mmCIF file of all heavy atoms in Angstrom:
data_model
loop_
_atom_site.group_PDB
_atom_site.id
_atom_site.type_symbol
_atom_site.label_atom_id
_atom_site.label_comp_id
_atom_site.label_asym_id
_atom_site.label_seq_id
_atom_site.Cartn_x
_atom_site.Cartn_y
_atom_site.Cartn_z
ATOM 1 N N MET A 173 5.356 84.602 82.796
ATOM 2 C CA MET A 173 6.278 84.360 83.989
ATOM 3 C C MET A 173 5.768 83.099 84.669
ATOM 4 O O MET A 173 4.720 83.071 85.347
ATOM 5 C CB MET A 173 6.201 85.565 84.905
ATOM 6 C CG MET A 173 6.819 86.805 84.283
ATOM 7 S SD MET A 173 6.890 88.265 85.426
ATOM 8 C CE MET A 173 5.075 88.869 85.247
ATOM 9 N N GLY A 174 6.543 82.018 84.346
ATOM 10 C CA GLY A 174 6.075 80.640 84.881
ATOM 11 C C GLY A 174 6.379 80.414 86.268
ATOM 12 O O GLY A 174 6.852 81.238 87.101
ATOM 13 N N PRO A 175 6.193 79.148 86.718
ATOM 14 C CA PRO A 175 6.351 78.784 88.158
ATOM 15 C C PRO A 175 7.749 79.205 88.644
ATOM 16 O O PRO A 175 8.764 78.885 87.915
ATOM 17 C CB PRO A 175 6.121 77.303 88.114
ATOM 18 C CG PRO A 175 5.197 76.937 86.929
ATOM 19 C CD PRO A 175 5.646 78.112 85.886
ATOM 20 N N GLY A 176 7.728 79.763 89.812
ATOM 21 C CA GLY A 176 9.028 80.075 90.410
ATOM 22 C C GLY A 176 9.431 81.441 90.228
ATOM 23 O O GLY A 176 10.205 81.965 90.916
ATOM 24 N N THR A 177 8.924 82.045 89.194
ATOM 25 C CA THR A 177 9.445 83.499 88.852
ATOM 26 C C THR A 177 9.046 84.475 90.111
ATOM 27 O O THR A 177 9.915 85.226 90.470
ATOM 28 C CB THR A 177 8.710 83.973 87.617
ATOM 29 O OG1 THR A 177 8.893 83.130 86.543
ATOM 30 C CG2 THR A 177 9.173 85.395 87.142
ATOM 31 N N GLN A 178 7.833 84.412 90.602
ATOM 32 C CA GLN A 178 7.560 85.344 91.709
ATOM 33 C C GLN A 178 8.277 84.977 92.985
ATOM 34 O O GLN A 178 8.494 85.890 93.823
ATOM 35 C CB GLN A 178 6.068 85.301 91.963
ATOM 36 C CG GLN A 178 5.164 85.534 90.809
ATOM 37 C CD GLN A 178 5.536 86.775 89.928
ATOM 38 O OE1 GLN A 178 5.920 87.831 90.588
ATOM 39 N NE2 GLN A 178 5.570 86.700 88.595
ATOM 40 N N HIS A 179 8.742 83.646 93.106
ATOM 41 C CA HIS A 179 9.479 83.395 94.378
ATOM 42 C C HIS A 179 10.949 83.816 94.209
ATOM 43 O O HIS A 179 11.447 84.242 95.302
ATOM 44 C CB HIS A 179 9.510 81.799 94.499
ATOM 45 C CG HIS A 179 10.270 81.290 95.595
ATOM 46 N ND1 HIS A 179 9.965 81.438 96.929
ATOM 47 C CD2 HIS A 179 11.577 80.721 95.637
ATOM 48 C CE1 HIS A 179 10.815 80.885 97.705
ATOM 49 N NE2 HIS A 179 11.808 80.426 96.934
ATOM 50 N N TRP A 180 11.515 83.795 93.072
ATOM 51 C CA TRP A 180 12.905 84.102 92.929
ATOM 52 C C TRP A 180 13.238 85.459 92.498
ATOM 53 O O TRP A 180 14.401 86.000 92.766
ATOM 54 C CB TRP A 180 13.569 83.122 91.964
ATOM 55 C CG TRP A 180 13.692 81.680 92.580
ATOM 56 C CD1 TRP A 180 12.922 80.623 92.161
ATOM 57 C CD2 TRP A 180 14.520 81.179 93.635
ATOM 58 N NE1 TRP A 180 13.185 79.544 92.874
ATOM 59 C CE2 TRP A 180 14.194 79.853 93.725
ATOM 60 C CE3 TRP A 180 15.417 81.754 94.536
ATOM 61 C CZ2 TRP A 180 14.862 79.073 94.731
ATOM 62 C CZ3 TRP A 180 16.117 81.008 95.341
ATOM 63 C CH2 TRP A 180 15.862 79.695 95.587
ATOM 64 N N LEU A 181 12.292 86.185 91.861
ATOM 65 C CA LEU A 181 12.551 87.385 91.184
ATOM 66 C C LEU A 181 11.656 88.438 91.630
ATOM 67 O O LEU A 181 10.488 88.174 92.020
ATOM 68 C CB LEU A 181 12.498 87.253 89.704
ATOM 69 C CG LEU A 181 13.624 86.464 89.069
ATOM 70 C CD1 LEU A 181 13.285 85.904 87.679
ATOM 71 C CD2 LEU A 181 14.921 87.269 88.934
ATOM 72 N N GLN A 182 12.034 89.770 91.682
ATOM 73 C CA GLN A 182 11.204 90.893 91.695
ATOM 74 C C GLN A 182 11.285 91.658 90.322
ATOM 75 O O GLN A 182 12.296 91.351 89.505
ATOM 76 C CB GLN A 182 11.776 91.939 92.767
ATOM 77 C CG GLN A 182 11.458 91.381 94.210
ATOM 78 C CD GLN A 182 11.907 92.408 95.121
ATOM 79 O OE1 GLN A 182 12.889 93.051 95.047
ATOM 80 N NE2 GLN A 182 11.069 92.657 96.173
ATOM 81 N N HIS A 183 10.327 92.424 90.072
ATOM 82 C CA HIS A 183 10.242 93.247 88.711
ATOM 83 C C HIS A 183 9.687 94.569 88.976
ATOM 84 O O HIS A 183 9.082 94.838 90.034
ATOM 85 C CB HIS A 183 9.546 92.454 87.656
ATOM 86 C CG HIS A 183 8.070 92.110 88.052
ATOM 87 N ND1 HIS A 183 7.704 90.931 88.757
ATOM 88 C CD2 HIS A 183 6.907 92.681 87.792
ATOM 89 C CE1 HIS A 183 6.453 90.887 88.945
ATOM 90 N NE2 HIS A 183 5.866 91.933 88.364
#
Side-chain angles (χ1 to χ4, degrees):
M173 294 183 279
T177 304
Q178 308 306 320
H179 176 75
W180 292 108
L181 291 157
Q182 290 183 317
H183 54 277

